[in-house]
Amino acid sequence: PPAPAAHAAPAPPDAFEALYRDAAPAQDAGATQQMPRITDGPARQGPPPPYGAGPGHDDYGYDPYDDYDDDRRGSIPRWALVALVTAACVVVGLTAGWLLSSGGGDSEANADDKQSSAPADDDEPSKKPADPAKTQAAALDKLLAASNDSRAAVIRSVANIRACKALGKAATDLRAAAKQRNDLVTRLAETKTDKIPNNQALVTALNKGWKASASADNHYALWAGQMSKGKACKHGQARTTNQTRAGNTASGQATTAKRQAAELWKPTAANYGLPPRAPEQL
């Protein structure tokens, strides 16, 4: 048999044996060096040095001794700044609350509402109520102005009767004038005059004057009828009859009443800027 070899070659290691045993340190440090542990941030170099030995900031750049240093340097500390800001906010809040409670917040809205809704009432002065006496006086003045419409026709008709001219037309015009005077009496009763000074005396005088004028017109119309018959007119002159005398009497009564009415109307006309009326204008 062959002699055993003096040094037998070692058996090759199992391929998986290295996974279950600690391997001996290798000679090549570069191939077996362990990678450093990965951390979330730079590794601390140890606890911060005590105050005075270094900057003393933590990982976020905060220095716990800043407030103490601010007090020592004489600047405003952070707590004082916080207090000042808080106080300012309180003052602003109180002021805003006062303005809102007093309506200052809606000043622009209120101004728009006033411009859209109130005409005229805030910008224009309040109108005084109309004087009832002035209103009544103006209405009566219109009635007095209308009373003079038939005067010219009456004067012309009476003159024609005396001259025995146009007797038929004269009688017609006089009856129309009498109707117009009676209409004035009716309108006067419908016109309010209780606020006019001396209204009762004024209304009484007007009623007497217009009624008397209407009576005179009717008597003169009858006189014209008398002159149109037979030989009443002689040499172009009408005879005086009972209707002539009745007409003259009524005309005199009308003149007296109209003079009284004109005097009673003067103060009211002057007080309210209305035209005065002469007796013959009534």
Side-chain angles (χ1 to χ4, degrees):
H7 298 284
D14 190 352
F16 297 96
E17 185 180 357
L19 298 177
Y20 298 100
R21 64 181 179 84
D22 293 334
Q27 297 297 325
D28 188 358
T32 60
Q33 185 178 4
Q34 186 177 2
M35 294 294 293
R37 181 180 181 182
I38 299 175
T39 60
D40 294 337
R44 288 183 175 271
Q45 301 299 326
Y51 178 71
H57 291 77
D58 61 5
D59 291 341
Y60 297 95
Y62 172 70
D63 187 353
Y65 298 99
D66 280 350
D67 294 340
Y68 179 75
D69 291 341
D70 289 342
D71 292 341
R72 292 179 59 189
R73 290 192 298 265
S75 60
I76 300 176
R78 281 189 174 84
W79 64 267
L81 291 175
V82 173
L84 289 175
V85 172
T86 303
C89 292
V90 171
V91 172
V92 172
L94 293 176
T95 304
W98 177 81
L99 290 175
L100 291 176
S101 63
S102 62
D106 350 307
S107 59
E108 295 181 358
N110 293 337
D112 294 339
D113 294 341
K114 289 181 180 179
Q115 291 178 358
S116 59
S117 62
D121 295 337
D122 296 334
D123 298 335
E124 295 181 359
S126 59
K127 297 181 179 179
K128 296 181 180 180
D131 185 358
K134 183 177 181 180
T135 303
Q136 293 181 1
L140 182 57
D141 178 68
K142 293 181 179 179
L143 188 61
L144 298 180
S147 67
N148 196 32
D149 293 343
S150 60
R151 182 172 183 268
V154 170
I155 294 174
R156 181 182 64 251
S157 298
V158 172
N160 288 335
I161 296 172
R162 287 175 180 169
C164 292
K165 295 178 181 179
L167 296 177
K169 186 177 187 309
T172 302
D173 290 345
L174 286 170
R175 290 189 179 95
K179 182 180 183 302
Q180 192 261 349
R181 307 292 174 88
N182 289 326
D183 288 343
L184 291 174
V185 174
T186 302
R187 291 172 59 186
L188 179 60
E190 297 172 352
T191 303
K192 292 184 178 181
T193 58
D194 58 304
K195 303 300 181 180
I196 298 176
N198 300 321
N199 62 88
Q200 293 182 354
L202 176 60
V203 170
T204 300
L206 289 172
N207 278 324
K208 286 182 178 180
W210 289 333
K211 288 180 179 180
S213 291
S215 177
D217 295 338
N218 285 325
H219 284 299
Y220 290 141
L222 292 174
W223 180 34
Q226 291 175 342
M227 294 302 101
S228 63
K229 295 179 181 179
K231 297 181 180 179
C233 291
K234 292 182 178 181
H235 307 291
Q237 295 292 327
R239 289 188 300 110
T240 301
T241 66
N242 60 339
Q243 297 296 338
T244 308
R245 289 187 289 268
N248 292 339
T249 300
S251 179
Q253 294 173 351
T255 300
T256 301
K258 291 175 184 179
R259 286 175 180 172
Q260 295 176 354
E263 291 297 323
L264 293 170
W265 171 249
K266 281 183 180 180
T268 301
N271 188 25
Y272 297 110
L274 300 172
R277 303 289 176 181
E280 58 270 13
Q281 292 178 317
L282 299 177

